[in-house]
Amino acid sequence: MNENGQIEARRQLDIIETCKQEIADRARELGRPLTYHISTFGCQMNFKDSEKLAGILEQLGYVEACDEKADFVLLNTCTVRENANLKVYGHLGILKSYKKKNPNMMIALCGCMMQEDVVLKKIQESYRFVDIIFGTHNIYKLAELIQTRMHSNRMVIDIWKDAKEIVEDLPSVRKYSFKAGVNIMFGCNNFCTYCIVPYVRGRERSREPEDIIAEIECMVRDGVVEVMLLGQNVNSYGKTLEQKITFAELLRRVEQIEGLKRIRFMTSHPKDLSDDLIAVMKDSNKICRHIHLPVQCGSSRLLEKMNRRYTKEQYLALVRKIREAMPDISLTTDIMVGFPGETEEDFQDTIDVVRQAEYDSCYTFIYSKRTGTPAAKEEQVPEEIVKERFQRLLDVVAEESAKRTGRLEGRTAEVLVEGVSEQDSSMVTGRLSNNLLVHFPGTEDMIGKLIMVRLDEAKGFYYIGSVVE
Ligand code: SAH
Ligand code: SF4
Ligand code: F3S
């Protein structure tokens, strides 16, 4: 971390200390601790941010509440598709009624949606009961923003257009004791023409490898056995650093961490996936056998319009190369239907990729027009056509994944146990290296452990297994 980042981190820790006293005074007046709740929308990046925000709130003395009827409610928003935005306005409507009953309640909004001027304006005009608004670049300032709000009667707004320094080492909580997400980079420079992420998350910035390694080592000492390295395009990791390093090299270094058992990463942009990365994965005992490789669409013509910088043929060649090196790999993808100008022929190319790539699962989306992105200005495909294509895509995806279910039946594989099964308390649920779920008879003390399990029966998206003695 650079010097400015260190100074800012120390400043925030001091603020946390003074703010903590004020929160404690309020709790004494009320005769109970103050509570918080964070609702998180969107991707892994946002979930990771929420853990950092929860870390600050807990340092301040807030105690987690199970729902949004809390003293401090934070919505960490996403704006990747329009329906993500609509959900937030829905929540705000409900929060308004809660605040009427609890006038001490503080409502805060943060995340990607807040980086959009139109959203900010709308909230300032129509949602006056919101107390604090901040964006994606200054989440580490939460305590300072709360303190400012406590000493003023106005809505506190602090949104930065882009990031300054990366501020490390502030408190964070983890949802799971045995697995954790680790940011390796922030922002995105790709500007796919449909996507709003580069506008709301700013330019690509990588963290120093030493900071990443130190964070993971600390997590491992704390009981973490699996990490998920996070970035919008992990394959371009290191490009912004003074001392250049590739993602494959970073993985080699993470692999060396003693006590760490599994490494995952998200997301891989196909254009930057290197031969070196494939080689590192192939030789690794820790890197999981799963790559999320979003294709978006199968038409080379549309891929160019999307600014994805690969063709259908290049993508399929990459899939073949990966499978040749690692036949047991699981591939998953993101697919979008209805990008402006999509013809039936383009759509058939997408179907063709789904038929050829043998994905374990596909995350499918209807294109959503995002104001400010280049594609928003293009002529849109009529809704009925998009809906009909989307349904056909879902049918093909289901048909293709049915062909793949059961392929591991009868095999024995290592499972990381994640928890007691929600349906049956005599069963536990865990994950294979390739990310598929397995349920098997077990006990709570297995959580966080790697256990050899025989995959007795395939059930579509998961297996039922039994422990191998
Ligand atoms: N950085 C990742 C994607 C992050 S957003 C990558 O490039 O692969 C997650 C997914 O949301 C994308 O892969 C895309 O399929 C989808 N998405 C992004 N913008 C969208 C839009 N405007 N409409 C519909 N889906 C979109
Ligand atoms: Fe969006 Fe493309 Fe960046 Fe992914 S790589 S976040 S789809 S601009
Ligand atoms: Fe959404 Fe922001 Fe992630 S827009 S998908 S939460 S980076």
Side-chain angles (χ1 to χ4, degrees):
M1 178 174 37
N2 69 20
E3 206 179 322
N4 287 343
Q6 280 167 359
I7 294 169
E8 183 56 29
R10 273 198 299 273
R11 201 175 75 85
Q12 289 303 323
L13 289 171
D14 288 344
I15 293 171
I16 288 174
E17 281 313 305
T18 56
C19 189
K20 198 170 162 176
Q21 303 303 326
E22 295 179 56
I23 305 269
D25 291 343
R26 286 220 174 164
R28 250 191 309 276
E29 279 164 31
L30 289 169
R32 61 166 178 86
L34 294 184
T35 57
Y36 80 92
H37 185 82
I38 305 180
S39 298
T40 311
F41 305 84
C43 66
Q44 305 260 4
M45 254 52 79
N46 255 19
F47 281 85
K48 177 71 196 179
D49 284 351
S50 287
E51 292 189 348
K52 297 180 186 171
L53 292 159
I56 296 175
L57 290 170
E58 295 198 357
Q59 282 280 306
L60 289 175
Y62 283 99
V63 177
E64 189 175 12
C66 57
D67 59 26
E68 288 179 352
K69 284 181 190 142
D71 299 301
F72 187 88
V73 175
L74 176 61
L75 304 184
N76 189 0
T77 65
C78 168
T79 187
V80 77
R81 285 171 288 276
E82 187 60 25
N83 52 10
N85 288 43
L86 297 177
K87 273 191 216 155
V88 170
Y89 292 119
H91 276 250
L92 278 176
I94 298 166
L95 289 180
K96 186 177 183 181
S97 66
Y98 292 167
K99 195 168 180 173
K100 276 199 187 123
K101 293 195 194 106
N102 176 8
N104 282 322
M105 181 179 179
M106 256 197 224
I107 299 172
L109 295 172
C110 70
C112 296
M113 216 175 133
M114 301 306 127
Q115 294 290 139
E116 291 182 273
D117 295 341
V118 280
V119 171
L120 183 62
K121 199 156 160 270
K122 179 165 170 172
I123 289 168
Q124 280 174 294
E125 280 166 9
S126 314
Y127 297 85
R128 296 293 314 157
F129 56 92
V130 171
D131 295 284
I132 300 172
I133 305 177
F134 56 107
T136 56
H137 301 302
N138 52 352
I139 60 166
Y140 63 83
K141 281 184 69 182
L142 177 62
E144 187 175 354
L145 298 173
I146 292 175
Q147 199 172 45
T148 309
R149 180 66 185 93
M150 289 198 299
H151 296 279
S152 81
N153 292 323
R154 291 225 212 105
M155 189 188 265
V156 174
I157 301 174
D158 193 7
I159 293 163
W160 301 354
K161 277 293 149 219
D162 215 334
K164 296 176 189 166
E165 57 278 328
I166 296 176
V167 179
E168 306 256 2
D169 296 339
L170 285 170
S172 179
V173 296
R174 285 200 315 270
K175 188 166 172 230
Y176 298 97
S177 59
F178 54 90
K179 66 170 185 177
V182 179
N183 296 111
I184 63 166
M185 59 204 299
F186 303 97
C188 181
N189 280 355
N190 289 308
F191 290 96
C192 301
T193 56
Y194 50 81
C195 184
I196 199 158
V197 171
Y199 304 89
V200 295
R201 284 274 169 177
R203 294 294 60 72
E204 185 178 299
R205 303 168 304 284
S206 293
R207 280 177 75 197
E208 293 291 343
E210 292 73 26
D211 290 335
I212 296 168
I213 303 286
E215 182 180 358
I216 300 174
E217 282 173 345
C218 180
M219 286 171 164
V220 170
R221 280 196 293 276
D222 232 25
V224 166
V225 290
E226 176 179 304
V227 289
M228 164 83 89
L229 307 180
L230 298 171
Q232 290 299 352
N233 175 11
V234 291
N235 296 331
S236 78
Y237 171 76
K239 288 187 185 153
T240 60
L241 293 173
E242 226 159 84
Q243 272 198 311
K244 298 280 174 283
I245 168 170
T246 65
F247 181 52
E249 283 158 15
L250 177 73
L251 281 175
R252 278 198 191 95
R253 290 174 65 171
V254 176
E255 171 107 21
Q256 308 282 312
I257 298 174
E258 228 169 284
L260 181 67
K261 304 275 173 56
R262 278 184 170 182
I263 305 165
R264 299 185 184 278
F265 52 84
M266 238 228 330
T267 293
S268 270
H269 195 305
K271 80 177 163 70
D272 297 316
L273 198 150
S274 68
D275 290 351
D276 199 22
L277 174 67
I278 298 175
V280 171
M281 281 186 85
K282 190 179 169 180
D283 293 341
S284 166
N285 295 320
K286 296 185 181 176
I287 304 172
C288 290
R289 288 291 182 258
H290 172 219
I291 304 182
H292 184 60
L293 196 64
V295 66
Q296 310 302 355
C297 121
S299 152
S300 297
R301 188 184 77 88
L302 282 195
L303 284 167
E304 193 180 347
K305 291 202 163 172
M306 289 178 168
N307 193 28
R308 290 292 289 181
R309 285 175 275 172
Y310 52 83
T311 62
K312 175 188 180 187
E313 291 69 31
Q314 284 167 335
Y315 182 88
L316 288 171
L318 178 63
V319 166
R320 278 194 296 275
K321 191 155 68 174
I322 294 169
R323 288 204 190 278
E324 250 161 51
M326 296 167 281
D328 56 343
I329 196 98
S330 155
L331 294 180
T332 57
T333 201
D334 291 348
I335 298 179
M336 201 186 304
V337 174
F339 181 79
E342 183 186 74
T343 62
E344 178 61 25
E345 206 185 338
D346 294 321
F347 177 67
Q348 286 305 327
D349 276 326
T350 300
I351 297 286
D352 191 40
V353 170
V354 175
R355 295 227 187 263
Q356 289 197 47
E358 304 187 311
Y359 296 118
D360 266 13
S361 48
C362 298
Y363 298 86
T364 48
F365 307 106
I366 286 182
Y367 165 78
S368 170
K369 185 170 148 180
R370 306 318 288 136
T371 309
T373 62
K377 296 189 207 85
E378 304 289 320
E379 197 179 330
Q380 310 292 307
V381 181
E383 203 181 317
E384 321 77 70
I385 297 182
V386 178
K387 281 200 172 145
E388 187 268 335
R389 281 183 194 155
F390 189 65
Q391 190 51 53
R392 274 192 283 154
L393 173 67
L394 293 182
D395 293 344
V396 175
V397 165
E399 205 181 295
E400 288 302 314
S401 57
K403 284 188 198 159
R404 286 179 67 73
T405 54
R407 71 183 191 286
L408 300 176
E409 217 171 60
R411 283 216 227 161
T412 296
E414 204 171 44
V415 174
L416 176 62
V417 181
E418 300 202 335
V420 174
S421 161
E422 278 170 23
Q423 283 82 32
D424 179 350
S425 62
S426 69
M427 306 276 277
V428 290
T429 301
R431 223 171 264 276
L432 295 170
S433 168
N434 68 13
N435 215 29
L436 286 177
L437 286 176
V438 184
H439 302 285
F440 61 95
T443 45
E444 206 176 343
D445 57 298
M446 290 177 172
I447 295 174
K449 297 207 172 90
L450 284 158
I451 292 182
M452 292 306 284
V453 175
R454 188 178 178 278
L455 308 174
D456 298 319
E457 198 189 343
K459 293 264 192 191
F461 294 116
Y462 62 93
Y463 285 90
I464 300 287
S466 49
V467 177
V468 177
E469 302 300 336

